Amino acid sequence: MSEQTEQTQSGVVIVGAGMAGVQTAVALREQGWSGPVTLLGAEPHQPYDRPPLSKAVLLGKAEDSAFDVDFEGLDIELRLGVEVTGLRAAERELDTEAGPVPYEVLVLATGAEPLTLPGAEGVPGVHLLRTLDDAARLRPVLAEAPATVVVGAGWIGAEFATAAREAGCAVTVVEAADRVLAGALPAEVAAPMAQWYEEAGAALLTGAKVASVEPGRVLLADGRELPAGAVVVGIGARPATRWLAGAGVELGADGSVTADAYLRTSLPGVYAVGDCASFPSGRYGARLLVHHWDNALQGPRVVAANIVARAPVQVYDPVPYFWSEQFGRFVQYAGHHAGADEPVWRGDPAAEAAWSVCWLRDGVLVAVLAVGRPRDLAQGRKLIEAGVPVDPAKVRDPATPLKSALA
């Protein structure tokens, strides 16, 4: 058998069986790829969706969140419990504990891994929430309604605090920064969200650094001691790319695979998509690393198109989008507000439950945050995609539909 035939038979191999990996496999078949497709997942479970882990699965309202995909019917070889440990690009092979896996085209879709709290690893009662197994371990703990300390007041911390309060736990949220969502939103926009914790009965401690975690308690740097039957760490995530060290794949300072506009990596025949990859946005003039569900849904379609065409035919330049359900509110965000002008408010958070914030740059809408105003999000997202000038006075009027705010 010739080397060329062996490569053709090895087909497309996708590392990572989360949303980005599964959607890449499905999109390849939908777009006409007839060669072999192999999907490698490190976990033993059927591939599943992650957002329900911090909601329905955690609270016992659902057993799992498996994707409704007929892998066998699509002729996708699903290999679970296979951890990839290395990449040898010259041989076009992956190293796994089960032996080498050859590829013709490789897609890196390994997602992100949660950051751990230094000194807390291995301490009884400390939890991360990233996998189905994490949720399974934490669910019976929450059912006992212990005093719970959540470390981190970002998106995931707020979502977990919401679930813990719903389970009846006394909740204290500890944040090292001086405010909630410090890495995500400007101070004036995040400020109203801090009130949601108190309204939900959760204590919020900002500017509070954890000194150490011991069984049953959390010690803060200022000497305070918090009782903790459970500690959940939600301080962010980093791309799951450590296994690529020395493989020749260009990585950014944040650990992300540095993909180009077509989601190709620095290695021939190797693509990257989802939480593990950054990409250059022509729309925003910046390289973006987007750790959200919609990015893992949209990117695979572009990767598949470029693989099927065996040429760079589609550029990936989305309007980033995500949502968060917290403290009885549905929060949505679209765009990228870095470098924008002052935010324009639609509604008053002090007086109204539903409100939005819009960011303009040179008169063009570039980002929108909507709290309980889904139409603002949907219409704003279309305006961002269109890149057309808007009238700031119309944007500021919450009674004026955003689609009618054209300049």
Side-chain angles (χ1 to χ4, degrees):
M1 186 179 290
S2 69
E3 180 182 350
Q4 183 176 1
T5 303
E6 288 177 358
Q7 284 195 353
T8 301
Q9 284 197 332
S10 57
V12 179
V13 176
I14 303 164
V15 184
M19 169 64 83
V22 168
Q23 289 299 323
T24 299
V26 172
L28 281 167
R29 290 299 187 227
E30 289 177 344
Q31 297 187 35
W33 178 265
S34 58
V37 176
T38 303
L39 183 61
L40 305 178
E43 295 181 56
H45 310 289
Q46 279 291 116
Y48 59 88
D49 205 3
R50 293 189 189 279
L53 296 184
S54 62
K55 307 173 184 73
V57 174
L58 187 61
L59 293 172
K61 298 177 181 178
E63 284 304 311
D64 60 37
S65 53
F67 292 117
D68 184 16
V69 175
D70 182 2
F71 294 101
E72 185 176 353
L74 290 171
D75 193 22
I76 295 168
E77 182 183 357
L78 183 60
R79 297 177 59 182
L80 301 175
V82 176
E83 184 165 355
V84 179
T85 57
L87 164 62
R88 288 176 287 110
E91 293 81 14
R92 292 211 172 195
E93 281 189 343
L94 295 166
D95 290 323
T96 79
E97 295 175 350
V101 177
Y103 65 87
E104 176 190 4
V105 178
L106 177 64
V107 180
L108 306 176
T110 47
E113 57 191 10
L115 297 176
T116 58
L117 187 65
E121 298 96 329
V123 177
V126 177
H127 300 266
L128 298 170
L129 184 55
R130 181 69 182 175
T131 68
L132 187 60
D133 287 339
D134 290 339
R137 282 189 292 266
L138 197 46
R139 186 162 65 181
V141 174
L142 281 192
E144 296 177 2
T148 302
V149 172
V150 179
V151 183
W155 299 114
I156 189 63
E159 289 188 3
F160 181 78
T162 299
R165 285 298 298 139
E166 187 173 335
C169 303
V171 176
T172 302
V173 180
V174 177
E175 171 56 54
D178 61 359
R179 58 188 180 84
V180 303
L181 294 165
L185 294 174
E188 66 271 27
V189 176
M193 300 179 177
Q195 305 301 317
W196 300 350
Y197 289 79
E198 181 179 355
E199 293 172 12
L204 173 64
L205 306 179
T206 56
K209 296 182 179 180
V210 175
S212 64
V213 179
E214 301 173 0
R217 64 177 185 167
V218 173
L219 302 177
L220 303 182
D222 61 10
R224 282 180 289 180
E225 179 180 320
L226 306 175
V231 178
V232 179
V233 179
I235 56 175
R238 73 176 303 280
T241 57
R242 299 178 199 272
W243 66 279
L244 289 168
V249 179
E250 183 182 344
L251 302 178
D254 53 14
S256 65
V257 178
T258 304
D260 69 6
Y262 303 98
L263 297 180
R264 300 175 300 183
T265 74
S266 57
L267 293 176
V270 181
Y271 294 78
V273 67
D275 289 7
C276 73
S278 64
F279 57 89
S281 171
R283 185 190 309 275
Y284 291 106
R287 176 165 287 276
L288 302 183
L289 175 60
V290 181
H291 280 182
H292 294 297
W293 186 90
D294 191 65
N295 178 51
L297 176 67
Q298 303 296 339
R301 297 168 185 167
V302 172
V303 167
N306 292 331
I307 291 174
V308 170
R310 295 185 183 271
V313 294
Q314 278 195 28
V315 166
Y316 187 58
D317 195 8
V319 173
Y321 165 76
F322 74 91
W323 79 94
S324 176
E325 296 177 75
Q326 50 184 270
F327 307 119
R329 295 166 174 85
F330 189 48
V331 184
Q332 296 171 283
Y333 177 95
H336 180 65
H337 65 267
D341 305 329
E342 289 295 308
V344 177
W345 293 79
R346 289 171 60 79
D348 180 4
E352 303 164 81
W355 48 275
S356 297
V357 179
C358 296
W359 285 268
L360 311 183
R361 186 172 63 201
D362 299 328
V364 174
L365 186 67
V366 294
V368 57
L369 172 78
V371 177
R373 290 180 65 99
R375 287 186 181 177
D376 279 4
L377 190 288
Q379 294 176 15
R381 190 177 185 181
K382 290 180 179 178
L383 289 176
I384 297 169
E385 290 171 347
V388 293
V390 294
D391 182 341
K394 293 179 181 178
V395 171
R396 189 172 290 108
D397 179 9
T400 299
L402 274 180
K403 64 182 180 181
S404 302
L406 296 177

